[in-house]
Amino acid sequence: MSKPTDLQHDLERSLPAIASISTSFSQSQGFSPYCYFSPEKRKAISDVRRTFCLFVTFDLLFISLLWIIELNTKDGIQKNLENEIIKYNFKTSFFDIFVLAFFRFFVLLLAYAIVKLRHWWVIAVTTLVSSAFLIVKVILSELLTKGAFGYLLPIVSFVIAWLETWFLDFKVLTQEAEEERWYLAAQAAASRGPLLYPRALSEGQFYSPPESFAGSDNESDEEGAGRKALTAQEKEYVRQGKDAMEVVDQILAQEENWKFEKNNDFGDVVYTFEIPFHGKTFILKAFLQCSAETVYQEVILQPEKMILWNRTVAACQILQRVEDNTIVSYDVAAGAAGGVVSPRDFVNVRRIERRRDRYISSGMSTTHNLKPPLSKYVRGENGPGGFIVLKCPSNPRVCTFIWILNTDLKGRLPRYLIHQSLAATMFEFAFHLRQRVSELSGKP
């Protein structure tokens, strides 16, 4: 078999599904990406663009209202309309400010609501024309002698024009670009079809990471009869995974030392913990109304499919499956803090263990020859961390989800902004995970 074919096979491979799940559960988890994201379900116009169009309409209506109030003076609306339109005078009339607002309304709605442009040049033109006209009018006209409205109308028109520019450039175009990346990634995953299983699983059809015991040296990653000998690089990946697992176990054992940071309305809590040689670590703890196996399946065993329901992840690709418990993945985190923090990419080694009371996926940053640093992304670096799903011994239909995150986003970002964006990202992840398990539980 040719080398490119081998490479493609390795890239599309991911960890096998859990073998201990019963047939009925497997059938309920049958997955088709088209069920969750398809082109026909995509909105014709995004929510943020619709809000922008409403704001442009507000611009016209507000300027019109102010002009009507100005017209309704002691001489009456009819007399003042005649003076400002029929006997138009550039120095004394407010009519041209109304026409300027209508110009912005017509051009912007034509460009961004009907034609649906994704560029800023149209609003740059309308803002430039509005600003230049208003500055010239204020300098040459006699509006300032007409009382409060002589100040109010030009100032309001100028400010609204620049607010429209800011909203389009920093909100509409930024958010739609992020949604487009997510859409394309989801479509790419859907076009590959189901990665783990195309039909319902039967008991024992796939092999899953064997159950591990804390402190046991007899683990599945040791070379045995009939298994391929690991290369030096693969042994290094296994060692890194074990090191990350040891740190995760130490963090979990010191829960009483976690420092509370913030919580949300769902009861999710973010803590911090200082790790020697690694620094500040963020810890999300969330209580979920679903079985631990469900979260294990969705978050740990199927990382490539998280892009279909988790908006904080822009891409995930399995680069190499080293052995039963260890994989190397390539992950792209979506932008945060309203686009201030740009997307970051990571190459991570992950170690997965199934224990009697929990499922664990620990990991840390590594390197891989298939994914050198790219110019389009800032390459971040993850310290020891991972996902933990704790089983509830008294109720198998609930579980506790823990996410340990130690990351260096690189770039020149203020530390307080990084900390705020990380906590917000963790809460958003929990929100999407809760939505996902709710969708699964609602399936017939």
Side-chain angles (χ1 to χ4, degrees):
M1 186 177 291
S2 62
K3 188 175 182 180
T5 305
D6 290 337
L7 176 59
Q8 181 180 2
H9 178 71
D10 289 339
L11 289 177
E12 293 181 351
R13 213 166 36 172
S14 62
L15 283 178
I18 176 172
S20 60
I21 302 176
S22 65
T23 302
S24 61
F25 179 80
S26 300
Q27 291 172 344
S28 70
Q29 298 290 332
F31 183 87
S32 173
Y34 299 101
C35 294
Y36 296 93
F37 200 95
S38 56
E40 60 270 15
K41 292 183 180 179
R42 199 179 186 191
K43 293 182 179 179
I45 185 169
S46 66
D47 293 339
V48 67
R49 185 178 288 253
R50 185 169 62 250
T51 303
F52 170 76
C53 294
L54 289 174
F55 187 70
V56 171
T57 306
F58 166 79
D59 174 14
L60 175 63
L61 295 178
F62 189 51
I63 295 297
S64 301
L65 178 63
L66 292 178
W67 185 45
I68 292 172
I69 294 175
E70 185 272 333
L71 291 172
N72 193 20
T73 58
K74 59 182 179 179
D75 293 332
I77 292 180
Q78 185 174 357
K79 178 68 174 177
N80 287 325
L81 278 174
E82 181 181 346
N83 291 335
E84 294 206 4
I85 299 177
I86 299 177
K87 300 177 182 179
Y88 171 77
N89 186 325
F90 176 78
K91 293 185 176 182
T92 59
S93 177
F94 289 102
F95 175 63
D96 45 16
I97 295 181
F98 165 77
V99 172
L100 188 64
F102 182 81
F103 162 74
R104 289 196 301 271
F105 169 80
F106 178 78
V107 173
L108 293 179
L109 287 191
L110 176 65
Y112 297 112
I114 299 176
V115 181
K116 298 183 179 66
L117 290 180
R118 296 196 172 204
H119 201 278
W120 47 262
W121 70 267
V122 174
I123 200 168
V125 171
T126 60
T127 304
L128 177 62
V129 170
S130 298
S131 300
F133 180 86
L134 291 170
I135 291 173
V136 171
K137 187 170 183 67
V138 168
I139 293 175
L140 300 181
S141 71
E142 301 171 358
L143 294 179
L144 303 184
T145 62
K146 300 186 69 174
F149 282 99
Y151 295 89
L152 186 61
L153 271 171
I155 292 175
V156 169
S157 183
F158 186 87
V159 170
I160 290 181
W162 279 96
L163 284 176
E164 289 168 347
T165 303
W166 172 85
F167 190 83
L168 180 82
D169 197 24
F170 287 92
K171 294 294 182 181
V172 179
L173 299 183
T174 301
Q175 184 170 323
E176 286 187 344
E178 180 180 341
E179 290 177 351
E180 182 69 16
R181 287 194 297 270
W182 182 79
Y183 175 80
L184 293 176
Q187 290 302 96
S191 65
R192 290 198 299 267
L195 297 177
L196 290 179
Y197 45 90
R199 58 190 180 275
L201 300 178
S202 61
E203 185 72 29
Q205 181 178 349
F206 290 109
Y207 185 77
S208 63
E211 189 166 4
S212 304
F213 302 93
S216 173
D217 294 328
N218 184 23
E219 294 182 331
S220 65
D221 54 359
E222 298 297 333
E223 297 175 17
R227 291 186 183 175
K228 182 185 69 173
L230 300 180
T231 65
Q233 180 61 67
E234 290 172 336
K235 289 180 180 179
E236 177 63 15
Y237 289 144
V238 173
R239 184 195 64 79
Q240 289 176 333
K242 288 183 177 181
D243 289 346
M245 186 66 71
E246 289 179 3
V247 175
V248 167
D249 284 333
Q250 292 172 9
I251 294 173
L252 294 174
Q254 300 184 59
E255 184 172 357
E256 67 276 5
N257 296 323
W258 296 356
K259 179 183 176 184
F260 173 85
E261 290 291 332
K262 57 179 65 177
N263 58 5
N264 63 12
D265 295 337
F266 294 98
D268 307 329
V269 184
V270 169
Y271 303 90
T272 55
F273 184 71
E274 291 288 337
I275 304 178
F277 308 110
H278 294 287
K280 195 169 190 177
T281 298
F282 287 78
I283 305 168
L284 169 72
K285 190 172 184 180
F287 182 77
L288 300 176
Q289 298 284 344
C290 67
S291 67
E293 286 77 10
T294 301
V295 182
Y296 174 55
Q297 184 84 355
E298 294 299 318
V299 177
I300 296 178
L301 283 186
Q302 303 184 105
E304 286 182 303
K305 289 182 177 176
M306 262 202 286
I307 61 173
L308 299 173
W309 54 267
N310 182 9
R311 298 289 290 275
T312 66
V313 178
C316 181
Q317 187 180 55
I318 304 301
L319 300 179
Q320 181 180 354
R321 180 184 172 195
V322 180
E323 43 79 64
D324 293 333
N325 295 77
T326 308
I327 62 173
V328 180
S329 67
Y330 174 71
D331 307 277
V332 179
V340 177
V341 181
S342 62
R344 260 56 173 175
D345 70 341
F346 303 85
V347 176
N348 298 312
V349 59
R350 305 188 189 198
R351 178 174 179 82
I352 297 175
E353 291 186 4
R354 295 191 300 128
R355 301 179 184 174
R356 290 192 180 94
D357 63 337
R358 69 192 62 183
Y359 301 109
I360 303 181
S361 170
S362 65
M364 61 192 300
S365 281
T366 188
T367 58
H368 200 282
N369 56 9
L370 292 180
K371 283 295 178 181
L374 304 174
S375 58
K376 63 185 293 188
Y377 294 122
V378 177
R379 175 60 57 88
E381 183 175 346
N382 284 328
F387 301 118
I388 301 94
V389 189
L390 301 178
K391 302 177 183 178
C392 178
S394 60
N395 186 354
R397 292 186 296 274
V398 299
C399 65
T400 301
F401 176 75
I402 299 175
W403 178 14
I404 298 175
L405 177 63
N406 179 284
T407 188
D408 183 357
L409 297 180
K410 304 297 183 180
R412 299 179 180 179
L413 294 172
R415 186 172 296 275
Y416 77 91
L417 180 61
I418 294 176
H419 292 171
Q420 287 182 353
S421 68
L422 290 180
T425 298
M426 297 182 99
F427 283 140
E428 185 179 358
F429 179 92
F431 173 78
H432 292 307
L433 177 58
R434 206 169 261 112
Q435 278 190 324
R436 174 63 174 161
V437 298
S438 177
E439 290 173 356
L440 293 174
S441 62
K443 285 185 176 182

